[in-house]
Each structure stands twice: as structure tokens, then as C-alpha cells.
Amino acid sequence: MDSVPAAAASSAESVTVSADASAKVIDGKLVAKQVREEIAVEVSRMKDAIGIVPGLAVILVGSRKDSQTYVRNKKKACEAVGIKSYEVNLPEDSSEEEVIKHIASFNSDPSVHGILVQLPLPRHMNDENILNAVSIEKDVDGFHPLNIGRLAMQGRDPFFVPCTPKGCMELLHRYGVEIKGKRAVVIGRSNIVGMPAALLLQKANATVSIVHSQTKNPEEITRQADIVIAAVGVANLVRGNWIKSGAAIIDVGINPVDDPESPRGYRLVGDVCYEEASKVAGAITPVPGGVGPMTIAMLLSNTLESAKRIHKFK
Amino acid sequence: MDSVPAAAASSAESVTVSADASAKVIDGKLVAKQVREEIAVEVSRMKDAIGIVPGLAVILVGSRKDSQTYVRNKKKACEAVGIKSYEVNLPEDSSEEEVIKHIASFNSDPSVHGILVQLPLPRHMNDENILNAVSIEKDVDGFHPLNIGRLAMQGRDPFFVPCTPKGCMELLHRYGVEIKGKRAVVIGRSNIVGMPAALLLQKANATVSIVHSQTKNPEEITRQADIVIAAVGVANLVRGNWIKSGAAIIDVGINPVDDPESPRGYRLVGDVCYEEASKVAGAITPVPGGVGPMTIAMLLSNTLESAKRIHKFK
């Protein structure tokens, strides 16, 4: 596609989107559905062949409404593909020891292949102590430092790739975006998205730069990228003039912004200004409906992978 | 300093160096000496205060001449600062189990605070199995994936920073090179230098890009960098026109090139063409005498740090 001058793509207010937008929409909802269907086939094949059903255990501490919703969605997604789910709900004032006791019990339970501790944990708990208690073989979130180290190293493979960055890569692959030899910029360097996404792109032989809060000229660097993964949590940070013509844009941000016209009074937008970016980019994920649906699909994928590995099923 | 046009700095053959070279020379030999002196003071203070002497165990398998030299140099460096060194020499045809048995014995030996397995190991051995046997608390090389993971993660600290990248950072610090907010390019992505160096620069809030064999325009990206760490093992790869005026250049490469005028028939050069780069850069390490001497100094530093941590000595 032709290069769009920055000035022509600078109106964030424009809502006449689809008509002149030229970027291909990377449909995360559709890909996630495909992935879930593929997982359901594999789960069923495994059950028929060796009588084993993958199992995912979720530990929820406290009664945050959002966490309860996430856990419920994860359980539903498990059921839909035939993965067995186990749930433990502990009161807000539980001790670290109690949480760790439950983790230990799942660690040694052969019907559980993945263990997930829903974050955030109550303030009085040390995340690190609790997450480190999850057996590395069942750490389907992939947050254990040993796992991250293996992700960073050449010649080593992680036990699990963290779900959201894995979802980003899956979207790039399924839409045929070439990674090897390409310039990639990751905006944000969180332990759960930005940093592992950068390591994954690097492992796939992209030339990777990480842009963060201390970066002086983020737009200049981002404009060099053939692939952008934005995971910083700032609504509409990445404007049209940050983007190289034809680039592939993966937007991990899900930010509520006021919208009096919405029945809820707000709407969700990404870290990338979609209206502007979609006129410059070659392909872009929408928010919602982009990376969001991929995260749970990748959690199911990691749980299946774990069960296959533990039972040496190919 | 003024910008030097690329064309003016493109003659690799030019050997009229010092006269018009304007970069400050980063003297690794001098800094390493300072570091060793500081370590000697600390070792002595620790011995006087709690009667503990830091100990480093080195395991050498086989009889490679170069490895023997490295091990001998490490022992000498230990002695010079008062660190006790322990050495095990095993025959080339030892089994993995024998090596691991010795590692296990050092793991549980309270007088040993650091364990180093000299690489390369004989071909019939699996490096990963052997290196993973070293207790994470005594892995002064810092190569364990758990350690690398902690290096990559925000809010976590590694037990040990791998020696060569630590030496690069120390040189930047001691020469007052600001890192935060600066663009940094690491050329090469090895597990022992390039990748951890990139993680360290990132932890110090630089905006980091990693350039490697699949990068299409390495010179263009490198030219954007305020700080360059070259660790790729290709003689004179980085030319003068790759370098931004005033940049700080840390050259990790040590490559032999034919030199009929040298009594040995060869001389050592870095990954950076020093003659050209020193006319453009603001500061640069020579080869030899730059990063080289820092590696052993950092090994001593890690061993001291380990002894302090194990004995809770501040």
C-alpha cells in the first residue's frame, strides 16, 4: 500500500473508519475460535488414545468481581474444549501458607496438568513466593523465572510460553506475517507481556527494540518497525504517524475511556489509535476482539501441551 | 565532538591512529586493576570481621591448552586478592556423572562460595546437564536459566550477573557513561554475552535493540546508538560509518588476524574497527586491554558477593 503522510492520519476524532481504512483486520476472535476447535479435536484424540483428559486447576484468593469473571470464563472455555477444570476459592484473609498448600496438592495431583493462580493476589501475600511454588512442569502461565530464562536463551526452550505474548505470535503466524529479518518494536516491558513478547520475536529472528517509559523518541523508533506489539496500557498512545506504512500492529492494550454515548458510559480502546493506525498499517488487531480472545485460547493450548508432555503423547 | 562524515572514516587500512583519534580510551586494564584492589580490601575486611575467606572452585575436564591457561589465570587472580581457589582436573574421558559428583561436593562445601566449570566441555558431555548441577547460589558465571530469567524480569534480581556483560556495564559506569534513556545497540545475542548485556542495558533503562546475523541493516540501526556493545566474534565488523558521533563503544570481540609483522604471525583485533571507530566515537575500549581484563575481575567480584550473601556480611 502507499505511504500515508502523517498529517493525513492525525485526527483521532475521526470515526469514519471502515470506508477508507486499508489495513487488514487481524481477527482474534476468529483465530481464537479456530484454535479452540483444534484443541477440542486434540483433547478428544488424546482421551480416545490413552484415556487421559487434560486438567487445569485455578486458584482464586478473595472475591474481586473481575477476577471471579476471569476465572468463570476460563472454566467455561475449558469445558467447551473438553479440558477438566478444578477450582479452589480461598477467602481474602487466607495465609500464604494455605495458598501454597493448595498449590502443592495440585503439583502432586496427576489429573492436573496446569496450575494457574489468578492475579492480583491480596496485598498481604508475596506474589513471588506463591508463583514460585507452582511446579515448573505445570506453570501454564509461564511466569516462572526459570521459564523466562529458557525463553531468553538460545538453544533452550521454555516449558510454556506466557499466554498473551504467545497469542500475539499466533496471530502474526496465522496471518502470514513474516518475522525473520524484520524490524520489530515492542512498546512496554512488563514481565507478563512486553518482555516475553520481545524475547519471542527475537527467538523468531526479528531485530527487536523495546520502547518504554524512559525512551526519548518512541515514535521515531516505532516508525522503523515492520511489526509493532503495543502493551503499555495507555489509551491511544500510538498514533498514525508512529507507524510505518504496511506494518503489522498487534495491540494488547484494553483501556476504558469515557464515552457518554455508550450505555455503560465508557468504551474500550487499545494502546494504538485504531482510526489513525488502520489507515497506515498493513494489518492491525482491533480492540476488543484482537489479542483479548487469544489469551484464554493459549491457556488451553498450554494445558493441552502440558498433558501431552507429561504423558508423552504426540 | 563534531560529526565525522562516514566517507572520512572509511579507510580500515589507515594505521595513523593516535594523532587524530579523538575518542576517550576506556582502559579496561586500569579499571580491572582498581576493581581487584577494591576486592582485596573487602576480602581482607571480611576475613578480619568474621574469619571467612571467599572460595572459588574451578572444574577443568580434559587437557586443552587454552582452558588450562584460563584456569591458571583465574587461580592467580584469586590468590592476588586473597580468595581461596580450589581446582579439580578430570581426564577427558570422564563421565558426566563424575563431573556432577564433584559439582555436588562443592555445592555442599561451606568453604566454596563460587563454582565454575571451565568451558568447553568434552563433546560427549551435555553442557546443560552439567551447568544445571551447579547450585544457583554458587553459580558465579550466572549462566543458569533461572538466573537469566531473574535478570530479564522487572522487580527481580539475578543471583549473579554473568561476568563479561557485568564487566561491560562496569566500564560504562566507571567512565561516567549515562545509560538511562539512551539508545543502546548490542551486536550479537549469545547466551553468555550479547543477550545478558541487552538485558542489563534494558534494566538500566536504556532503549535497547539487538542486532544479529539475520538483521538486514545493522549499520543503520547501530548508527542510532549512543552505546554500542559488540559481541559477535567477527574481526573489524563494525566500521567507522556504523557509529554515531560521540557514542560509547564497548568491544567484546577478541579475534586473531594474520599479521606477518607480528612475531607470532597474528595480532588480536576486536569486532570494531578501532582505527575508524576511535575517530567517530566519544569513548571506546581497545582490544586487547578493554573488556578482556574485566571478565576475571568480575568473576572475583561475583565470588566475593556470594560469600558476603551466604554469610550475611555487609
Side-chain angles (χ1 to χ4, degrees):
Chain A
M1 61 177 279
D2 291 339
S3 173
V4 176
S10 68
S11 165
E13 289 71 37
S14 164
V15 269
T16 55
V17 186
S18 319
D20 60 337
S22 49
K24 186 188 286 179
V25 177
I26 299 178
D27 187 342
K29 228 168 144 176
L30 183 71
V31 173
K33 184 165 171 283
Q34 286 169 353
V35 169
R36 289 198 309 269
E37 286 167 4
E38 291 162 13
I39 291 171
V41 169
E42 283 296 283
V43 167
S44 153
R45 188 172 72 86
M46 189 172 178
K47 189 177 172 189
D48 292 349
I50 60 169
I52 299 287
V53 175
L56 175 68
V58 182
I59 296 172
L60 173 63
V61 187
S63 49
R64 282 176 64 118
K65 288 273 167 282
D66 57 347
S67 291
Q68 287 174 337
T69 306
Y70 292 138
V71 168
R72 196 164 51 240
N73 289 343
K74 285 167 186 172
K75 282 185 69 174
K76 267 198 227 162
C78 281
E79 281 161 24
V81 299
I83 290 177
K84 197 157 166 32
S85 69
Y86 304 82
E87 192 182 337
V88 167
N89 287 298
L90 297 171
E92 179 80 21
D93 60 355
S94 306
S95 68
E96 257 181 51
E97 291 66 36
E98 283 172 277
V99 180
I100 290 173
K101 209 185 70 190
H102 283 281
I103 293 174
S105 141
F106 285 133
N107 279 343
S108 57
D109 182 343
S111 59
V112 170
H113 306 97
I115 301 169
L116 186 147
V117 180
Q118 184 65 44
L119 300 178
L121 286 162
R123 287 225 181 142
H124 66 280
M125 291 186 184
N126 179 322
D127 286 19
E128 192 174 337
N129 292 344
I130 287 176
L131 294 180
N132 282 354
V134 176
S135 155
I136 184 85
E137 282 84 16
K138 298 187 178 184
D139 172 36
V140 282
D141 259 340
F143 294 160
H144 194 288
L146 178 55
N147 197 61
I148 296 292
R150 293 172 66 108
L151 188 60
M153 294 171 86
Q154 286 196 77
R156 307 282 178 103
D157 288 307
F159 291 97
F160 300 100
V161 174
C163 299
T164 302
K166 184 177 179 174
C168 297
M169 297 301 282
E170 193 68 28
L171 289 175
L172 292 170
H173 289 312
R174 299 233 177 186
Y175 277 81
V177 177
E178 206 193 343
I179 298 173
K180 182 177 162 180
K182 298 294 179 187
R183 288 289 298 275
V185 163
V186 176
I187 307 176
R189 51 177 170 171
S190 69
N191 288 343
I192 60 176
V193 188
M195 180 268 290
L199 296 176
L200 282 168
L201 287 164
Q202 148 74 34
K203 229 176 178 122
N205 289 313
T207 300
V208 183
S209 307
I210 301 186
V211 160
H212 49 77
S213 57
Q214 306 288 338
T215 300
K216 281 182 182 147
N217 41 2
E219 64 287 353
E220 189 187 315
I221 300 170
T222 308
R223 205 150 45 221
Q224 298 173 3
D226 305 298
I227 298 164
V228 176
I229 296 184
V232 71
V234 178
N236 294 322
L237 174 74
V238 179
R239 307 294 298 261
N241 62 1
W242 289 39
I243 292 171
K244 180 177 173 177
S245 173
I249 313 293
I250 306 291
D251 189 352
V252 183
I254 305 183
N255 312 291
V257 294
D258 290 340
D259 182 2
E261 286 175 32
S262 156
R264 294 173 301 185
Y266 72 94
R267 63 194 165 93
L268 297 174
V269 302
D271 294 346
V272 178
C273 179
Y274 188 88
E275 287 78 6
E276 294 179 8
S278 59
K279 290 173 190 155
V280 191
I284 185 168
T285 58
V287 174
V291 177
M294 292 299 290
T295 299
I296 290 187
M298 293 299 112
L299 175 66
L300 303 176
S301 161
N302 280 353
T303 305
L304 169 64
E305 208 177 278
S306 177
K308 283 184 168 182
R309 182 164 46 217
I310 289 171
H311 296 285
K312 297 184 174 55
F313 179 73
K314 302 260 173 186
Chain B
M1 61 176 281
D2 292 338
S3 172
V4 176
S10 68
S11 164
E13 289 71 36
S14 164
V15 270
T16 54
V17 186
S18 319
D20 60 335
S22 47
K24 187 189 285 182
V25 176
I26 298 177
D27 186 342
K29 228 168 143 178
L30 183 71
V31 173
K33 183 166 172 281
Q34 285 168 353
V35 169
R36 289 197 310 269
E37 285 166 4
E38 291 161 14
I39 291 171
V41 171
E42 283 296 282
V43 167
S44 153
R45 187 172 72 85
M46 188 172 180
K47 189 178 172 187
D48 292 348
I50 60 170
I52 299 287
V53 175
L56 174 68
V58 182
I59 296 172
L60 174 62
V61 188
S63 48
R64 283 177 63 119
K65 288 273 167 282
D66 57 347
S67 292
Q68 288 174 336
T69 305
Y70 293 138
V71 168
R72 195 166 49 241
N73 289 342
K74 285 167 188 172
K75 283 185 68 173
K76 266 197 229 164
C78 282
E79 281 160 26
V81 298
I83 291 176
K84 196 157 164 36
S85 68
Y86 303 83
E87 192 183 337
V88 168
N89 287 299
L90 298 170
E92 179 80 20
D93 61 355
S94 306
S95 67
E96 256 182 55
E97 291 65 38
E98 284 173 276
V99 180
I100 290 174
K101 208 185 69 190
H102 283 281
I103 293 174
S105 142
F106 284 133
N107 279 342
S108 57
D109 182 344
S111 59
V112 170
H113 306 97
I115 302 169
L116 186 147
V117 181
Q118 183 66 42
L119 300 178
L121 286 162
R123 287 227 179 139
H124 66 280
M125 292 185 184
N126 180 322
D127 285 19
E128 192 174 337
N129 292 345
I130 287 176
L131 294 180
N132 283 354
V134 177
S135 156
I136 184 86
E137 283 84 15
K138 298 187 179 183
D139 172 34
V140 282
D141 259 339
F143 294 159
H144 194 288
L146 178 56
N147 196 61
I148 297 292
R150 293 173 64 110
L151 189 60
M153 293 171 86
Q154 285 195 77
R156 307 281 179 103
D157 288 307
F159 291 96
F160 300 101
V161 175
C163 300
T164 302
K166 183 176 181 174
C168 296
M169 297 301 283
E170 193 68 29
L171 289 175
L172 291 170
H173 290 312
R174 300 232 175 186
Y175 276 81
V177 177
E178 207 193 344
I179 298 173
K180 181 177 164 181
K182 298 295 179 185
R183 289 288 299 276
V185 163
V186 176
I187 306 176
R189 50 176 170 169
S190 69
N191 288 342
I192 60 174
V193 187
M195 180 267 291
L199 297 176
L200 283 169
L201 288 164
Q202 148 75 34
K203 227 173 181 126
N205 290 313
T207 301
V208 183
S209 308
I210 301 185
V211 160
H212 50 75
S213 56
Q214 305 288 338
T215 300
K216 280 182 183 145
N217 41 2
E219 63 287 354
E220 189 187 315
I221 300 170
T222 307
R223 206 152 42 223
Q224 298 172 3
D226 305 298
I227 298 165
V228 176
I229 296 184
V232 71
V234 178
N236 294 321
L237 174 73
V238 179
R239 306 293 297 262
N241 62 0
W242 289 40
I243 293 172
K244 180 176 173 176
S245 173
I249 312 293
I250 305 291
D251 189 352
V252 182
I254 305 182
N255 312 291
V257 294
D258 289 341
D259 181 2
E261 285 175 31
S262 156
R264 294 173 303 183
Y266 72 94
R267 63 194 166 96
L268 297 175
V269 302
D271 294 346
V272 178
C273 178
Y274 187 88
E275 287 76 7
E276 294 180 8
S278 59
K279 290 174 189 154
V280 191
I284 185 167
T285 58
V287 174
V291 176
M294 292 299 289
T295 300
I296 289 186
M298 293 299 113
L299 175 66
L300 303 175
S301 161
N302 280 353
T303 304
L304 169 64
E305 208 177 278
S306 178
K308 283 184 169 182
R309 180 163 49 217
I310 289 171
H311 295 284
K312 298 184 172 55
F313 179 73
K314 303 260 176 192

